[in-house]
Amino acid sequence: MKVNHHALELEQNYLFSEIAKRLRAFQKENPERELLKLSIGDVTRPLSRVVTDAMKAAAEDMSHAETFHGYGAEQGELFLREAIAGYYAKRGTTIDADDIFISDGAKNDLGNICDLFDSDNTVLLPNPVYPVYFDTSIMSGRKVVFISGTKENGFLPMPDETIAADIIYLCSPNNPTGAVYSKAQLAEWIAYANKNNAVILFDSAYEAYIRDPELPHSIYEIPGAETCAIEINSLSKTAGFTGVRCGWTIVPKTLQFDGASLHQMWFRRTATKYNGCSYIIQRAAAAVFSEEGLAAVREDVNYYMENAAIIKKAMNEAGIMSTGGENAPYVWFEAPKGMSSWECFDKLLQEFGIAGTPGEGFGNAGKGWMRFSSFGTRETVQKAAAVLNQLK
């Protein structure tokens, strides 16, 4: 027996696990100090009542023979897939419910989708980047190339014709930088992918936070995406499902590569390796897309974006350059005084009791930068903002 030696090529500790480890050590050494967490992007507002009522009703269904549900449809229940298709339709984007696959969250699908592709494929990643894209690619033994997001290009790297890539990960709004691609910019990526016979894996997990009406929420708003793009989304940050787990992946039937249908391949892979998201959770997810559910989503999104505005204001008053926070729940800022990311992390933690996320954990292009999450409570955000001017 031989282990997958590519898995041994990963950093010893996953970024967020390392942060959690350091925070536990800080709290053990300083039990009397308050820790203000602006680091890991877990939500703090509870599920809306319409969602929990749907969960209760679905649980009750399971206690009666006439409404009991066992194994569900491989790609998710039709009632939820139709609700998601209706969500897209409200913005004028037509998605066939048959092209939607329900899962237990975007993170799993972002990694598992690569089961469809040969290990010889080259993966193109923006840098900084969500660690899962890179780690998944390394574990599968694929070659990874980067295209840098910088302060100069607004952390929105564009295609480079000198780079040949087969699989392209894009995240918009971006985690960690909060930058959002315009329709024109996504059109360039789509043209690049179609020209090079590449597939785009488009992570739209934060689309609900886009406030600018000119910015696209889905890559399928741009013509040509249906022949080169897979979109992956989640209710984790949209509706507070981080502890509930439900997401979806859109694989259009028009995606044909190497003589094969990616839609059929993903259906077969799903049927083989996954028994589906819980019926109870799918009923809860469907409630999110009701009129009452979407109103609750808007309320939560507004709350977190107000948090982001408070953080941005504090950064501006401290004279610290930052991006994001306007159409995304993350504020990405340059560590002051030439500090490294981890030096800034330690200073924030030890001197102010504030936990951020070191930018270099998202790749080399993140060195010297930090990420703040707006998913904390209002009290936490206000307390942190009150002392951030001391960081300059």
Side-chain angles (χ1 to χ4, degrees):
M1 193 283 289
K2 295 181 179 180
V3 301
N4 175 8
H5 65 89
H6 296 297
L8 301 177
E9 297 170 12
L10 298 176
E11 293 288 338
Q12 189 65 33
N13 290 323
Y14 179 57
L15 171 63
F16 299 110
S17 299
E18 176 63 22
I19 292 171
K21 176 183 175 182
R22 294 191 183 207
L23 297 186
R24 286 194 298 270
F26 172 82
Q27 290 181 301
K28 183 177 181 179
E29 294 169 4
N30 305 277
E32 76 291 347
R33 292 186 64 183
E34 182 179 17
L35 179 60
L36 304 173
K37 290 187 178 182
L38 301 182
S39 51
I40 298 174
D42 197 0
V43 295
T44 52
R45 286 172 66 83
L47 295 170
S48 66
R49 178 60 63 183
V50 65
V51 167
T52 55
D53 283 348
M55 292 172 73
K56 292 174 184 176
E60 183 64 24
D61 285 347
M62 301 299 279
S63 68
H64 303 281
E66 60 273 18
T67 54
F68 173 78
H69 288 260
Y71 290 125
E74 289 93 338
Q75 68 183 102
E77 301 295 347
L78 183 59
F79 64 77
L80 178 53
R81 291 187 282 118
E82 289 181 337
I84 293 170
Y87 176 67
Y88 281 82
K90 288 179 180 178
R91 292 196 301 268
T93 305
T94 300
I95 302 294
D96 189 338
D98 221 24
D99 290 343
I100 299 171
F101 294 78
I102 306 302
S103 71
D104 56 358
K107 185 176 182 179
N108 285 353
D109 280 359
L110 285 164
N112 292 334
I113 197 73
C114 287
D115 281 0
L116 306 187
F117 311 120
D118 193 274
S119 60
D120 286 340
N121 285 318
T122 296
V123 179
L124 176 61
L125 299 180
N127 187 1
V129 67
Y130 181 44
V132 171
Y133 310 159
F134 177 73
D135 289 355
T136 294
S137 300
I138 294 300
M139 281 191 282
S140 61
R142 292 187 175 92
K143 177 184 177 182
V144 177
V145 294
F146 294 99
I147 187 165
S148 291
T150 64
K151 182 165 53 175
E152 290 70 30
N153 64 22
F155 293 99
L156 293 170
M158 297 302 295
D160 183 343
E161 293 296 340
T162 67
I163 297 176
D166 305 298
I167 301 168
I168 304 162
Y169 278 94
L170 295 179
C171 180
S172 182
N174 183 269
N175 178 15
T177 68
V180 186
Y181 280 111
S182 68
K183 290 181 179 179
Q185 289 171 322
L186 283 183
E188 286 190 42
W189 275 110
I190 289 167
Y192 171 85
N194 280 320
K195 178 182 176 181
N196 291 280
N197 196 39
V199 64
I200 295 173
L201 304 180
F202 189 73
D203 182 352
S204 61
Y206 301 97
E207 59 82 19
Y209 291 83
I210 296 174
R211 292 187 161 187
D212 185 338
E214 299 300 316
L215 294 174
H217 289 247
S218 167
I219 198 167
Y220 299 118
E221 294 178 33
I222 293 87
E226 68 280 358
T227 57
C228 68
I230 292 172
E231 182 163 305
I232 299 172
N233 205 332
S234 164
L235 292 179
S236 287
K237 307 301 168 54
T238 298
F241 272 47
T242 55
V244 178
R245 312 308 305 148
C246 190
W248 66 91
T249 292
I250 301 171
V251 187
K253 297 182 190 67
T254 46
L255 286 179
Q256 302 284 329
F257 288 86
D258 200 19
S261 164
L262 294 190
H263 177 95
Q264 291 178 0
M265 290 178 68
W266 186 239
F267 188 99
R268 186 68 178 85
R269 188 266 176 207
T270 300
T272 300
K273 291 190 174 184
Y274 186 55
N275 264 339
C277 181
S278 157
Y279 167 76
I280 296 171
I281 300 305
Q282 290 191 68
R283 280 295 181 191
V288 171
F289 300 104
S290 67
E291 185 175 341
E292 184 181 352
L294 290 175
V297 165
R298 287 191 292 272
E299 183 178 337
D300 286 347
V301 166
N302 287 338
Y303 177 91
Y304 292 129
M305 290 305 287
E306 287 167 9
N307 279 352
I310 293 170
I311 297 170
K312 286 281 287 187
K313 183 174 183 289
M315 304 305 286
N316 290 339
E317 290 175 350
I320 298 172
M321 190 273 174
S322 67
T323 67
E326 294 163 348
N327 293 289
Y330 295 118
V331 176
W332 178 250
F333 67 95
E334 196 166 19
K337 302 178 182 177
M339 285 187 284
S340 71
S341 297
W342 283 106
E343 285 174 342
C344 189
F345 173 89
D346 287 335
K347 183 178 179 66
L348 283 167
L349 183 61
Q350 299 299 330
E351 294 187 20
F352 310 116
I354 297 174
T357 303
E360 67 183 72
F362 298 98
N364 289 338
K367 287 184 176 180
W369 291 79
M370 292 284 296
R371 190 197 74 176
F372 276 155
S373 163
S374 69
F375 290 115
T377 65
R378 182 61 46 80
E379 180 183 16
T380 294
V381 169
Q382 288 176 332
K383 285 181 178 180
V387 297
L388 281 176
N389 64 337
Q390 300 176 46
L391 185 62
K392 60 184 177 181

